[in-house]
Structure formats: C-alpha cells, structure tokens
C-alpha cells in the first residue's frame, strides 16, 4: 500500500503519463475500444485534478501519437470527439480557472475545427498557474527534427542543448521528473524523447481507466524513494 501523498515539493514539478490500456480494459468488459477511451478521458480529468491537489505544476499526457492514425476510423474519430468535448468543457471553466492547457504536436493535421478550438483554448488559458500538456498527433523524434529545421531556417549554424530545448513544444517548462506508463508495457513509444533524458520511469500493470489517486500516490512515493544522480555520484 502506497503512502498517502499530501504535497509534492520542487523535486517533483512535472509528471507525464502514457495512458495505455484503454482498449484492453474495454475488451475485458465485452465493450468496444471506444468505451475504454471514453472512461479514459474521464480518468484523465480526475488524475489532472488530483495532480493539482498534490501540488504538481506540470502534467503531460500522451493522448494521440503520430502513429495512432493507423487505428480504425471509428476509433480515431472517437478519440478526436473526446478531445473536442474536453476542449469545450475546459473553455467553459477557463475564465479565472487554474488550468493552462497546451497541446504538444502537429495540430495542422487535425480536423480544422478541432485545431481552431485547441488553439483558442491555449490562448484563453495561457496565464493559468497549473499546466496540462496534451500530446496530440505527437511524436518525439518528429518534434526534435522539426525544432532543428526551424532553427536552421532561422539561420542558426550552431545548435546547442539550450537552443534546441527552447524550440520544442515544451519550451520554458521543466523536463518531466517522472514518467508513468500504465498498461504493463515497458517502453516510451516515441514520447518526450528529448525531455525524458533524466526522467525517472515508473511502469504499472494498472490499465489507464482503472487509474486512481492511490496509483498516482504509488508512483509519486516510488519517485521520492529514488536518488537522482544525473550522471554524478552521491554519498
Ligand atoms: C492507449 O491505450 C490510449 C490511447 C491511444 C488514447 C488515449 C486517449 C484518451 C485517454 C482520451 C483522450 C481524451 C482526453 C480528453 C485527453 P490503447 O488504446 O493503446 O490500449 P490497449 O493497449 O489496451 O489497446
């Protein structure tokens, strides 16, 4: 049983989640995959809220990768619909709200209406104190390549870690301290390839729709038991 987490400190400012297992969760219940995503979207909101309650300033979720277009049209459109519904809901509470919503990824490939609404929500919430990054049509390698090409087109001839970091979707944000993957797989799947260089990784068999505050606590407690050395030595 994990310790109950009350408030995180500056060591844990950014948690990222690979929300895996929606399809399997639905299948186990004899339901279509889309139902798993629907419950997954509800759990996403609960997890974001809980992370805010325990003082996490940045949360990033992997909602849709550049590879996810290979899924059936029905499944892709169900995920897009859930994102559209979330954006509308977030817009409704954006005024004076706490949550800054930012999208990581190439939004130009999304349905035009969704792209417009996503950009509008980003603008409406840009000054809010807690950030949720939603990786949408996102690929970590593509992000790096795009950033490098942008720097080249701006006339840069010598790229540094600092200039590259500042050209990523996550510019100005701390790298994730902790990356949590649900669903029992042990890989990063092209998520935050640059930003994860020193992230602590936590894998759980829990399927995303079953994720509860206790599971977040378990990941956070494990994070605080680890010693981060960044290639140096301790003791
Ligand atoms: C991975 O599980 C999950 C996805 C590719 C989609 C995640 C999307 C959501 C949770 C909804 C997004 C909505 C908002 C508002 C952020 P999987 O389908 O690959 O599961 P499986 O491995 O069991 O098949």
């Amino acid at each position: 049983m994990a310790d109950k987490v009350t408030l995180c400190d500056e060591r844990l400012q950014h948690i990222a989640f690979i929300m895996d297992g929606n399809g399997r969760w639905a299948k186990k219940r004899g339901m279509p995959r889309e139902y798993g995503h629907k419950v997954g979207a509800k759990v996403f909101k609960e997890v974001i809220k809980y992370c805010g309650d325990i003082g996490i300033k940045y949360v990033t979720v992997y909602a849709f990768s550049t590879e996810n277009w290979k899924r059936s049209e029905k499944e892709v459109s169900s995920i897009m619909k859930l994102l559209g519904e979330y954006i509308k809901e977030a817009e409704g509470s954006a005024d004076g709200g706490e949550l800054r919503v930012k999208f990581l990824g190439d939004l130009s490939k999304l349905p035009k209406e969704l792209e417009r609404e996503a950009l509008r929500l980003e603008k409406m919430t840009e000054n809010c104190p807690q950030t949720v990054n939603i990786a949408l049509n996102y690929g970590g390698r593509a992000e790096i390549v795009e950033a490098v090409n942008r720097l080249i087109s701006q006339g840069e001839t010598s790229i540094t870690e600092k200039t590259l970091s500042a050209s990523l979707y996550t510019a100005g944000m701390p790298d994730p301290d902790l990356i949590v993957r649900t669903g029992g797989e042990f890989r990063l799947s092209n998520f935050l390839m640059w930003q994860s260089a020193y992230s602590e990784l936590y894998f759980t068999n829990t399927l995303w729709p079953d994720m509860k505050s206790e599971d977040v606590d378990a990941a956070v407690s494990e994070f605080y038991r680890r010693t981060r050395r960044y290639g140096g030595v301790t003791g």
Side-chain angles (χ1 to χ4, degrees):
M1 184 79 188
D3 301 336
K4 176 88 195 81
V5 172
T6 47
L7 206 55
C8 296
D9 58 21
E10 72 289 344
R11 284 176 291 172
L12 184 48
Q13 296 188 56
H14 187 170
I15 303 187
F17 293 96
I18 301 178
M19 309 184 287
D20 198 11
N22 294 346
R24 279 167 285 163
W25 184 90
K27 197 168 166 216
K28 268 170 54 180
R29 286 159 179 79
M31 297 295 280
R33 298 178 56 81
E34 294 72 27
Y35 180 63
H37 297 314
K38 185 171 180 215
V39 177
K42 178 172 154 282
V43 167
F44 151 81
K45 288 182 264 181
E46 290 164 2
V47 167
I48 297 300
K49 162 89 178 58
Y50 184 66
C51 287
D53 291 347
I54 59 171
I56 307 289
K57 294 200 182 65
Y58 298 86
V59 180
T60 300
V61 296
Y62 207 178
F64 195 85
S65 75
T66 44
E67 286 70 41
N68 287 152
W69 295 108
K70 294 180 202 149
R71 297 188 178 205
S72 74
E73 151 103 50
K74 183 171 170 237
E75 184 169 351
V76 169
S77 60
S78 82
I79 297 174
M80 295 301 155
K81 183 162 172 270
L82 289 166
L83 285 157
E85 285 168 3
Y86 173 69
I87 291 172
K88 286 231 163 62
E89 198 182 311
E91 274 183 2
S93 53
D95 231 10
E98 291 290 296
L99 207 57
R100 172 188 180 203
V101 183
K102 171 116 181 65
F103 292 90
L104 317 182
D106 180 3
L107 302 188
S108 71
K109 304 281 186 307
L110 299 177
K112 282 298 145 212
E113 177 67 10
L114 188 62
E115 180 190 8
R116 260 195 308 275
E117 296 199 345
L119 295 173
R120 195 170 63 201
L121 180 62
E122 282 192 341
K123 190 89 196 112
M124 284 171 83
T125 59
E126 65 189 351
N127 296 316
C128 297
Q130 187 204 349
T131 298
V132 57
N133 294 315
I134 301 180
L136 180 53
N137 192 28
Y138 174 87
R141 288 183 175 182
E143 178 185 31
I144 296 169
V145 170
E146 246 176 64
V148 169
N149 281 327
R150 199 165 338 109
L151 287 166
I152 292 171
S153 70
Q154 288 163 0
E156 283 283 352
T157 50
S158 175
I159 293 166
T160 64
E161 291 192 10
K162 204 166 161 199
T163 55
L164 184 52
S165 287
S167 300
L168 299 175
Y169 295 119
T170 48
M173 302 183 197
D175 287 338
D177 301 295
L178 172 64
I179 299 182
V180 174
R181 181 173 189 144
T182 61
E185 307 285 359
F186 301 95
R187 54 177 171 262
L188 289 177
S189 303
N190 204 13
F191 187 46
L192 304 175
M193 287 290 89
W194 175 273
Q195 299 88 335
S196 62
Y198 286 103
S199 303
E200 294 296 327
L201 307 181
Y202 180 88
F203 299 98
T204 170
N205 289 329
T206 301
L207 302 174
W208 178 258
D210 285 328
M211 193 75 180
K212 305 256 176 316
S213 61
E214 291 80 2
D215 301 291
V216 177
D217 284 350
V220 167
S221 304
E222 169 65 20
F223 171 85
Y224 277 109
R225 282 193 289 274
R226 304 224 186 134
T227 307
R228 301 181 81 187
R229 288 189 289 275
Y230 302 96
V233 287
T234 47

